[in-house]
């Protein structure tokens, strides 16, 4: 038998728990448990030989056989002999009651023989191809005896003269106890573990306290309500007590699921200090106690919490929308209730699954033969499922109804918003920003998930370098002027603006926002939702705000000349105005404002700072691999950070780990390019210099480019060189370089 030598410690226990927790174990799980058990036995007892037997009818079958390399040493002939013996044994079956193994299976009592004293003669009779000095045989039993485990001889390196000890017997009995339950559960479909039994096993494996009654735990209801039942149910983690400002004690059904721990910490901004084990049934009861029946309706906790029955609904859909089997015109009345049609259930399940998966966007894309559903997670799109093409019209129509759009209009783009809790029985409080557009094979829909349970992050957690953070904080505390954030969609502009406003939001300051849509609700802010259908746009909102005595105004986005002009006027008349703009970098913002018709002297007078930003994927803390870059990579990072030596950096591990889900990346970190206005920049703007020249002036006055900031994140081990360069190219401009591009300059120096 080839043992699973790489399956050690936490990983092995985690795999065992996953097997326990699965509602319907597969046939492959039997071999998994057998291999894991064998590995555990060999590792813990340092045995030279191990055999695992299972009862099959009236016979005893060999299921796992292990021989230690110390039995043959450097003798290749003996090695081949032992391996052939193992293969033959795995094909054999013994009559019931045969030998020591048969006796143990019949009686249910373990046997412990030592090579000393009276046991010596018994051991000499064992014909196994090597001298036996000690033997342990224990039964595998639940309500019945299903097999046995036998080990022979301690490894010479153990220092016991080849003999096992009473402590070894206790270890083997413990391993047999949990292994037998797992094996029985998978061999016999009628044998089921209750949630309470599962929790007992997990508590024993992890050596953590077990909670089985609600009254055994004192609950901080404020903490629970702040966390929200959606997060609790999604991660199967129940916070019951605060242990610090940003830490808490929790109850978990599976404490070795570190991916859920990480997700919980990211969602709540709290670290987990202390863990206790609870059954899934108790988690359901706690949710109902704290949130009412609504929390338990339509959603199960535990392993099933991540399952939203998509496959089941997909089967119904595929049957209803096959070629010639459906897909005709759909009436609005047929798409109103979740109970009325499978298409409604599927639409809801997709949204729920995307939320549980941590996706930021959902893409519904009609192709020539299929309808493709993709999720964007940590900035990367991944295909989730393919549906029959005939589903497309009904699904798009359903989504349009949910956000009150015109289902008959398929030729023009439309924008809307879904308040999801109106359409689901589950207590998932999210909004979705919806955009539809006509494509060559039908209408595409993109939905941005806005999680109301997530609060804004404080500024220090957004990825600002110490230098940039200090500069930015000085800017947002200015009494008047204009602060602009630029970057593509999904680059974190809105989150940064909210974080800045949250930091300066005090009772003596009047902050008013004009947003489309309102992504996060902050206490103390006067927030206005734009509504184009009635003529409420950014220009109208700004004009209104200027008559309402504001101190700080947030405009969701500057899109046109009118909005830009009013924003400049507001900034020049004693207000601090913050907004967003779509440009590639900070200096390009000036030329973009000029293209909108704003005079250069107004731009230079109004501007406080421009912050360009992107989001890079965080390399997984658990599995990242350290290495020293060479060649082009080394040249890039040394030039960007003006280093004398090549630093050690990290890359994503191929295949990832259980925490990052095999991706090598987990979460995202921001990179920033902060252009703070100064006398030289004002002069350059007024002269209408080229963007490249303006960038050079900015760099001369202390601006770190996004490329430089990305290399800083690479140096500190937050992201990888690969991800940094895929999002932000290397700078073409060097300070004082006379406008030379980086590539020609590198060639000049022989690189």
């Amino acid at each position: 038998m080839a043992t699973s030598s790489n399956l050690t410690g936490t990983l092995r226990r985690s795999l065992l728990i996953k097997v326990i927790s699965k509602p319907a174990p597969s046939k492959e799980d039997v071999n998994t448990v057998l291999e894991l058990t064998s590995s555990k036995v060999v590792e813990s007892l340092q045995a030279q030989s191990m055999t695992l037997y299972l009862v099959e009818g009236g016979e005893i079958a060999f299921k796992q056989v292990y021989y230690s390399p110390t039995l043959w040493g450097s003798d290749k002939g003996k090695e081949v002999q032992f391996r052939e013996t193992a293969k033959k044994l795995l094909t054999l079956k013994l009559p019931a009651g045969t030998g020591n193994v048969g006796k143990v299976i019949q009686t249910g009592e373990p046997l412990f023989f030592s090579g000393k004293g009276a046991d010596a003669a018994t051991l000499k009779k064992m014909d196994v191809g090597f001298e036996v000095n000690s033997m342990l045989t224990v039964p595998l039993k639940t309500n019945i005896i299903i097999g046995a485990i036998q080990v022979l001889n301690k490894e010479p390196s153990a220092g016991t003269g080849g003999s096992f000890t009473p402590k070894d017997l206790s270890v083997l009995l413990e391993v047999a106890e949990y292994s037998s339950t797992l094996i029985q559960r998978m061999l016999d479909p009628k044998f089921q573990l209750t949630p309470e039994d599962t929790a007992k096993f997990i508590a024993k494996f992890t050596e953590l306290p077990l909670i089985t009654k609600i009254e055994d735990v004192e609950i901080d209801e404020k903490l629970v309500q702040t966390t929200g039942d959606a997060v609790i149910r999604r991660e199967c983690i129940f916070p019951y007590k605060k242990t610090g400002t940003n830490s808490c004690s929790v109850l978990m059904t599976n404490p070795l699921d570190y991916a859920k721990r990480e997700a919980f910490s990211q969602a709540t901004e709290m670290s987990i200090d202390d863990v206790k084990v609870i059954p899934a049934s108790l988690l359901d009861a706690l949710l109902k106690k704290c949130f009412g029946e609504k929390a338990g309706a339509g959603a199960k906790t535990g392993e099933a919490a991540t399952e939203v029955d998509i496959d089941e609904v997909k089967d119904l859909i595929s049957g209803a929308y096959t070629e010639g089997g459906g897909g005709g015109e759909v009436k609005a009345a047929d798409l109103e209730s979740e109970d009325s049609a499978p298409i409604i259930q599927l639409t809801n399940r997709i949204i729920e699954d995307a939320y549980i998966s941590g996706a930021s966007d959902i893409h519904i894309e009609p192709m020539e033969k299929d309808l493709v559903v993709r999720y964007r997670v940590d900035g990367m799109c991944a295909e989730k499922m393919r549906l029959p093409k005939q589903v497309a019209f009904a699904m798009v129509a359903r989504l349009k109804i949910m956000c009150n759009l015109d289902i008959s209009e398929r030729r023009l783009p439309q924008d809307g918003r879904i308040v999801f809790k109106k359409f689901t029985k589950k207590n998932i409080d999210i909004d979705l920003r919806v955009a539809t557009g006509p494509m060559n094979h039908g209408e595409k829909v993109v939905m941005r998930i806005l999680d109301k349970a997530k609060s804004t992050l404080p500024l220090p957690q957004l990825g600002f370098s110490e230098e940039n953070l200090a500069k930015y904080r000085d800017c947002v505390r200015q009494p008047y002027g204009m602060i602009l954030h630029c970057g593509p969609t999904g680059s974190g502009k809105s989150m940064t603006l909210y974080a800045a406003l949250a930091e300066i939001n005090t009772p003596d300051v009047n902050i008013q926002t004009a947003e489309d849509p309102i992504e996060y609700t902050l206490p103390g802010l006067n927030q206005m939702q734009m509504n184009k259908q009635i003529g409420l746009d950014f220009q109208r909102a700004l004009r209104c705000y200027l008559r309402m005595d504001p101190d700080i105004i947030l405009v969701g986005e500057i899109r046109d000349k009118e909005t830009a002009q009013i924003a400049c006027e507001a900034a020049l008349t004693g207000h601090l105005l913050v907004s967003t703009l779509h440009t590639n970098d900070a200096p390009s913002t000036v030329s973009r404002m000029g293209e909108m018709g704003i005079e250069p002297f107004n731009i230079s007078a109004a501007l406080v700072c421009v912050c360009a930003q992107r989001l890079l994927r965080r390399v997984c803390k658990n599995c990242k691999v350290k290495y020293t870059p060479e060649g082009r990579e080394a040249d890039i990072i040394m030039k960007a950070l003006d280093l004398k030596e090549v630093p050690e950096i990290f890359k994503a591990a191929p295949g990832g780990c259980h925490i990052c889900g095999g991706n090598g990346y987990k979460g995202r970190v921001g990179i920033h390019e902060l252009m703070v206005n100064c006398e030289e920049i004002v002069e350059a703007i007024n002269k209408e210099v080229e963007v490249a020249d303006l960038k050079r002036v900015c760099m001369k006055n202390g601006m770190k480019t996004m490329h430089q900031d990305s290399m800083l994140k690479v140096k500190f081990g937050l992201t990888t060189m690969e991800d940094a360069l895929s999002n932000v190219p290397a700078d073409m401009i060097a300070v004082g370089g006379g406008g030379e591009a980086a590539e020609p300059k590198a060639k000049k120096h022989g690189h």
Side-chain angles (χ1 to χ4, degrees):
M1 180 206 100
T3 62
S4 305
S5 57
N6 63 319
L7 298 170
T8 58
T10 302
L11 180 57
R12 180 186 296 115
R13 294 198 303 273
S14 182
L15 287 171
L16 282 169
I17 291 170
K18 284 183 180 181
V19 173
I20 292 175
S21 303
K22 290 175 69 172
S26 64
K27 293 180 180 178
E28 292 77 16
D29 289 332
V30 179
N31 291 329
T32 300
V33 174
L34 294 178
E35 283 200 16
L36 290 171
T37 301
S38 302
S39 300
K40 181 72 173 177
V41 169
V42 171
E43 180 189 337
S44 302
L45 302 187
Q46 296 178 272
Q48 280 193 315
S49 171
M50 190 286 313
T51 309
L52 192 149
Y53 306 85
L54 288 182
V55 176
E56 293 184 354
E59 297 178 311
I60 303 170
F62 291 77
K63 287 299 180 181
Q64 296 286 348
V65 180
Y66 168 77
Y67 293 122
S68 169
T70 57
L71 291 172
W72 58 79
S74 58
D75 191 333
K76 296 293 182 182
K78 277 191 176 182
E79 180 182 357
V80 172
Q81 192 177 352
F82 273 109
R83 295 194 184 281
E84 288 297 322
T85 301
K87 286 181 183 178
K88 289 178 183 178
L89 289 174
L90 292 173
T91 64
L92 298 180
K93 291 185 180 180
L94 303 174
T98 304
N100 292 322
V101 173
K103 184 179 179 181
V104 168
I105 291 174
Q106 281 185 335
T107 64
E109 297 296 327
L111 287 178
F112 180 16
F113 290 160
S114 173
K116 299 176 183 178
D119 297 330
T122 304
L123 295 175
K124 284 181 180 179
K125 294 178 182 178
M126 297 183 68
D127 185 16
V128 293
F130 57 91
E131 183 181 351
V132 181
N133 299 314
S134 187
M135 180 201 75
L136 284 177
T137 307
V138 299
L140 293 169
K141 61 181 178 180
T142 54
N143 54 338
I144 58 172
I145 298 174
I146 61 170
I149 300 175
Q150 185 177 82
V151 292
L152 304 175
N153 291 1
K154 272 271 201 181
E155 290 278 14
S157 58
T160 61
S163 297
F164 293 108
T165 65
K167 185 179 178 182
D168 293 328
L169 176 61
S170 300
V171 170
L172 191 56
L173 285 169
E174 184 181 350
V175 172
E177 181 185 354
Y178 68 72
S179 299
S180 57
T181 304
L182 291 174
I183 296 166
Q184 169 92 4
R185 179 170 177 259
M186 287 174 286
L187 293 176
D188 182 6
K190 296 180 181 179
F191 184 82
Q192 296 293 328
L193 280 175
T194 65
E196 289 72 23
D197 289 336
T198 301
K200 286 177 184 176
F201 271 98
I202 293 174
K204 190 170 184 178
F205 297 160
T206 57
E207 299 180 349
L208 292 173
L210 174 66
I211 302 293
T212 57
K213 298 178 181 178
I214 291 180
E215 50 267 27
D216 291 343
V217 60
E218 190 174 341
I219 299 170
D220 183 343
E221 292 191 6
K222 185 179 178 181
L223 172 63
V224 175
Q225 293 294 333
T226 303
T227 305
D229 67 315
V231 172
I232 295 171
R233 185 170 58 246
R234 182 180 71 198
E235 312 303 346
C236 302
I237 298 176
F238 189 94
Y240 69 93
K241 182 177 70 176
K242 290 201 77 171
T243 56
T245 308
N246 296 306
S247 59
C248 61
S249 297
V250 301
L251 308 173
M252 293 185 67
T253 56
N254 183 357
L256 295 181
D257 195 334
Y258 293 101
K260 287 189 178 295
R261 285 196 186 197
E262 182 74 18
F264 176 86
S265 295
Q266 286 189 355
T268 61
E269 301 165 35
M270 289 190 293
S271 60
I272 296 174
D273 271 356
D274 178 56
V275 179
K276 295 180 179 177
V277 182
I278 58 168
S281 55
L282 183 60
L283 183 54
D284 282 328
L286 287 168
L287 282 166
K288 287 179 180 178
K289 178 184 177 182
C290 296
F291 298 98
E293 293 296 322
K294 186 180 179 183
K300 295 180 180 179
T301 52
E303 187 74 18
T306 58
E307 303 293 334
V308 289
D309 302 323
I310 286 184
D311 292 334
E312 183 181 335
V313 184
K314 270 176 64 182
D315 292 339
L316 291 173
I317 291 288
S318 298
Y321 290 89
T322 51
E323 291 290 339
E329 289 295 316
V330 179
K331 298 178 181 177
D334 298 329
L335 297 172
E336 292 292 348
S337 169
E338 184 173 3
D339 301 324
S340 65
I343 193 70
I344 299 171
Q345 298 176 39
L346 180 62
T347 304
N348 282 10
R349 297 300 89 80
I350 288 172
I351 295 172
E352 292 161 7
D353 183 62
Y355 169 71
I356 289 168
S357 303
S360 60
D361 301 86
I362 306 168
H363 293 244
I364 312 290
E365 302 171 327
M367 301 297 173
E368 185 177 1
K369 297 181 180 179
D370 305 291
L371 180 68
V372 179
V373 179
R374 297 195 296 166
Y375 298 164
R376 185 179 294 277
V377 181
D378 290 340
M380 303 295 288
C381 272
E383 185 176 308
K384 178 65 180 179
M385 70 181 78
R386 286 181 177 261
L387 298 166
K389 178 66 182 294
Q390 291 82 1
V391 176
F393 173 76
M395 183 172 287
V396 173
R398 171 58 183 167
L399 291 169
K400 284 183 176 180
I401 287 169
M402 291 170 78
C403 49
N404 200 27
L405 298 179
D406 185 358
I407 64 170
S408 64
E409 181 54 76
R410 306 177 202 172
R411 303 165 299 171
L412 294 173
Q414 297 186 70
D415 296 324
R417 189 182 182 97
I418 296 173
V419 182
F420 187 58
K421 65 180 179 181
K422 293 181 180 179
F423 304 97
T424 180
K425 296 176 182 178
K426 300 179 182 178
N427 192 27
I428 298 178
D429 192 11
I430 58 173
D431 288 359
L432 297 105
R433 189 173 69 200
V434 182
T436 73
M439 305 292 154
N440 58 334
H441 297 300
E443 283 188 278
K444 175 174 177 172
V445 182
V446 178
M447 295 178 281
R448 167 66 56 87
I449 298 174
L450 307 173
D451 188 358
K452 293 183 177 181
K454 289 184 180 178
S455 60
T456 58
L457 295 173
L459 277 175
Q461 294 186 26
L462 297 182
F464 281 100
S465 66
E466 290 185 12
E467 182 184 352
N468 280 344
L469 180 61
K471 289 180 179 178
Y472 187 73
R473 276 176 160 163
D474 286 341
C475 291
V476 297
R477 286 179 169 82
Q478 296 299 311
Y480 55 84
M482 183 160 57
I483 297 174
L484 297 177
H485 282 256
C486 58
T489 303
S491 59
K493 301 185 299 294
S494 298
M495 176 61 80
T496 308
L497 287 178
Y498 279 112
L501 292 182
E503 188 159 296
I504 58 177
N505 182 20
T506 56
D508 60 322
V509 177
N510 179 20
I511 304 176
Q512 305 197 165
T513 77
E515 303 172 69
D516 187 22
I518 296 174
E519 297 189 25
Y520 301 97
T521 302
L522 295 181
L525 268 62
N526 302 285
Q527 297 175 270
M528 183 186 293
Q529 171 69 54
M530 300 300 96
N531 189 341
K532 292 180 183 178
Q533 294 179 342
I534 60 172
L536 180 56
D537 53 19
F538 289 124
Q539 303 100 287
R540 196 160 185 175
L542 267 174
R543 290 192 185 97
C544 169
Y545 280 171
L546 290 176
R547 297 190 295 270
M548 298 179 75
D549 188 31
D551 295 303
I552 301 169
I553 302 173
L554 182 148
V555 180
E557 185 181 344
I558 296 177
R559 301 172 180 169
D560 50 54
K561 181 179 178 179
E562 290 76 19
T563 307
Q565 284 179 333
I566 301 169
C568 271
E569 289 174 13
L572 292 169
T573 54
H575 308 94
L576 182 65
L577 185 132
V578 294
S579 187
T580 67
L581 204 63
H582 287 278
T583 60
N584 284 331
D585 58 14
S588 301
T589 303
V590 175
S591 65
R592 177 76 181 109
M593 294 287 286
E595 289 170 5
M596 290 182 179
I598 309 301
E599 295 293 341
F601 59 84
N602 281 332
I603 300 173
S604 63
L607 204 61
V608 174
C609 75
V610 181
C611 180
Q613 58 189 90
R614 298 286 190 281
L615 290 174
L616 304 184
R617 292 183 294 166
R618 285 183 183 269
V619 65
C620 178
K621 298 176 186 176
N622 185 62
C623 64
K624 61 184 182 181
V625 180
K626 184 180 285 189
Y627 76 107
T628 302
E630 298 177 350
R632 180 173 176 267
E633 286 189 349
D635 189 50
I636 287 174
I637 192 168
M638 289 179 70
K639 184 176 179 179
L641 302 180
D642 195 22
L643 302 175
K644 304 298 182 186
E645 296 181 359
V646 181
E648 287 189 325
I649 60 176
F650 293 88
K651 60 182 178 182
C657 66
H658 62 290
I659 290 178
C660 60
N663 296 320
Y665 296 90
K666 184 72 176 178
R668 289 193 285 179
V669 63
I671 57 170
H672 305 87
E673 180 178 281
L674 193 64
M675 182 183 94
V676 181
N677 206 1
C678 67
E679 188 176 344
E680 284 190 58
I681 293 175
V682 168
E683 187 178 342
I685 294 173
N686 290 340
K687 288 181 178 179
E688 299 183 52
V689 301
E690 295 290 334
V691 172
D693 292 325
L694 178 60
K695 186 170 184 177
R696 190 171 294 109
V697 172
C698 294
M699 294 172 71
K700 185 181 175 183
N701 283 274
M703 183 186 82
K704 297 291 188 291
T705 66
M706 278 190 291
H707 169 63
Q708 289 175 314
D709 200 39
S710 70
M711 290 300 104
L712 201 62
K713 302 299 191 293
V714 171
K715 182 187 175 185
F716 291 153
L718 299 176
T719 189
T720 64
M721 179 70 73
E722 180 187 9
D723 200 62
L725 294 179
S726 67
N727 283 274
V728 183
D731 290 324
M732 298 285 290
I733 298 169
V735 182
E740 288 184 324
E743 278 296 319
K745 195 168 183 180
K747 289 178 181 178
K748 199 174 184 180
H749 285 80
H751 296 135

